[in-house]
Amino acid sequence: MITEAEPLKAEWTKAIAPRRGDIHGELLEDAAAFLGISLQEARNRARDAGERFRAEWQSVAPDPSDDQALTRFYNQSDTELFELINWHANDPIHYRTIVLRDFASAFPGRELIDYGSGIGNDALVFAQAGFHVTLADISDPLLAFAAWRCRSRGLDVQTIDLKAITLPRRAYDVAVCFDVLEHIPKPLAVVRQIRASLKEGGLFVMHAPFGLDAEHPMHVVHRDVVTPRMRSLGFEPLSCAFPSSVRAPQIYRRRNLPALDRLAYFVYDGYLDGSVGSRLAAMYRAGRSMMRAGGRCRRSAL
């Protein structure tokens, strides 16, 4: 039986593993060529990479509030590279990128930043579709590998080392940030930076599995502090249809909202819920409409 996600799987496989359709095998071949090791050595390093990456974290036990300690951890070895290879080869969550490529293509502008670009698979999909991609990461091994993979396929990408470079303002039409914010002690600060880097009307797509996760102790933020703040930060939620078998990310559009509207969203999304919040929101909208109507009447009288 063909599932609704099968066409996405086929497109994802074609984009990531164009030689034989073997995602894991071709990613390991890329890693071997990039690192200058044998394919067998790459297979050995990929074996149990998730367990080794977790053990590396536990052996160092970096203080999540210490940015420098976290940065050192993500640059100390290439174990994460192989852990991500295993994950990207086996989890259908990544089919989301095919849907998002088509969704974003319907909007104007082709400048895209992949914030926390990992091994570069999402960048490959967007670059192949004609987007001008900028890779951004704090991990030197990951950033170099992702850029190498894109350029080895003839795709011109830019890179930003997030340890040293601040995102440019109003530079991008699309920002994707997948499975990154839960690793960052102050995710809201990152969201603000990403918003500042977006053009007006630009798209921001994020997925962040906040929560305590014994399998991923490097997920240091255990409560979703981002979603309740998105509207007050100036993001409008957008809808996009995903197959039920694919975990959908959240999609937003950057908007310039009046300060009063952003304050209202901050109060409503952060502190109010249920019928009380709905009634207050309706009263606020009615009041704003009356204020705008009054302003139009005064201008007409003049």
Side-chain angles (χ1 to χ4, degrees):
M1 178 180 176
I2 298 177
T3 68
E4 57 182 346
E6 285 300 314
L8 300 180
K9 178 181 180 181
E11 285 199 64
W12 174 255
T13 302
K14 181 179 178 181
I16 306 306
R19 298 187 290 273
R20 299 185 310 282
D22 174 7
I23 293 178
H24 195 247
E26 294 188 36
L27 285 173
L28 289 177
E29 289 171 3
D30 284 350
F34 172 72
L35 295 170
I37 60 177
S38 69
L39 181 57
Q40 184 58 51
E41 176 63 20
R43 292 194 186 103
N44 292 341
R45 293 195 192 184
R47 190 175 299 117
D48 301 324
E51 288 79 0
R52 290 203 316 280
F53 190 47
R54 182 167 60 252
E56 287 179 5
W57 174 274
Q58 293 167 339
S59 67
V60 176
D63 179 356
S65 65
D66 186 341
D67 292 338
Q68 292 185 347
L70 290 175
T71 298
R72 285 195 299 271
F73 171 76
Y74 287 110
N75 284 275
Q76 71 179 4
S77 79
D78 57 23
T79 304
E80 184 184 16
L81 187 155
F82 288 98
E83 189 264 345
L84 289 176
I85 283 176
N86 292 341
W87 180 46
H88 277 254
N90 297 303
D91 195 334
I93 191 175
H94 303 293
Y95 306 161
R96 63 194 171 188
T97 305
I98 302 299
V99 177
L100 292 167
R101 174 202 63 191
D102 296 341
F103 182 83
S105 295
F107 289 80
R110 290 294 178 269
E111 296 294 333
L112 180 143
I113 184 165
D114 187 353
Y115 192 100
S117 45
I119 59 174
N121 279 346
D122 301 310
L124 279 173
V125 171
F126 280 102
Q128 289 168 358
F131 285 82
H132 308 138
V133 174
T134 296
L135 306 165
D137 214 300
I138 66 164
S139 167
D140 292 336
L142 295 185
L143 189 60
F145 182 52
W148 179 88
R149 292 184 65 222
C150 290
R151 291 167 182 160
S152 68
R153 299 191 187 195
L155 300 169
D156 184 23
V157 295
Q158 305 299 313
T159 61
I160 290 180
D161 178 356
L162 292 172
K163 299 187 297 299
I165 301 174
T166 303
L167 301 186
R169 294 180 62 84
R170 303 293 181 97
Y172 305 109
D173 304 291
V174 184
V176 296
C177 183
F178 293 149
D179 307 285
V180 172
L181 296 176
E182 67 276 12
H183 294 262
I184 300 171
K186 298 178 181 178
L188 279 173
V190 170
V191 173
R192 290 189 181 96
Q193 292 174 28
I194 292 174
R195 184 183 186 279
S197 77
L198 283 170
K199 301 173 186 177
E200 179 61 19
L203 301 179
F204 177 39
V205 188
M206 58 166 271
H207 177 259
F210 295 114
L212 188 63
D213 185 345
E215 294 296 310
H216 298 92
M218 60 291 300
H219 291 189
V220 298
V221 182
H222 302 152
R223 181 172 65 90
D224 183 359
V225 296
V226 173
T227 303
R229 293 292 307 279
M230 291 302 287
R231 295 199 297 179
S232 66
L233 290 174
F235 284 106
E236 172 191 16
L238 298 181
S239 296
C240 178
F242 286 82
S244 58
S245 57
V246 177
R247 281 172 286 173
Q250 296 162 282
I251 307 175
Y252 300 91
R253 181 164 52 191
R254 185 191 195 278
R255 293 179 58 198
N256 278 332
L257 293 175
L260 188 59
D261 285 359
R262 292 173 69 168
L263 176 61
Y265 280 132
F266 176 79
V267 174
Y268 180 82
D269 292 338
Y271 299 98
L272 299 176
D273 56 18
S275 59
V276 174
S278 297
R279 287 197 298 272
L280 288 175
M283 292 170 61
Y284 175 79
R285 286 192 294 269
R288 293 287 290 170
S289 296
M290 291 176 63
M291 290 172 61
R292 285 192 291 268
R296 287 194 295 270
C297 289
R298 285 193 295 273
R299 286 193 293 272
S300 297
L302 292 173

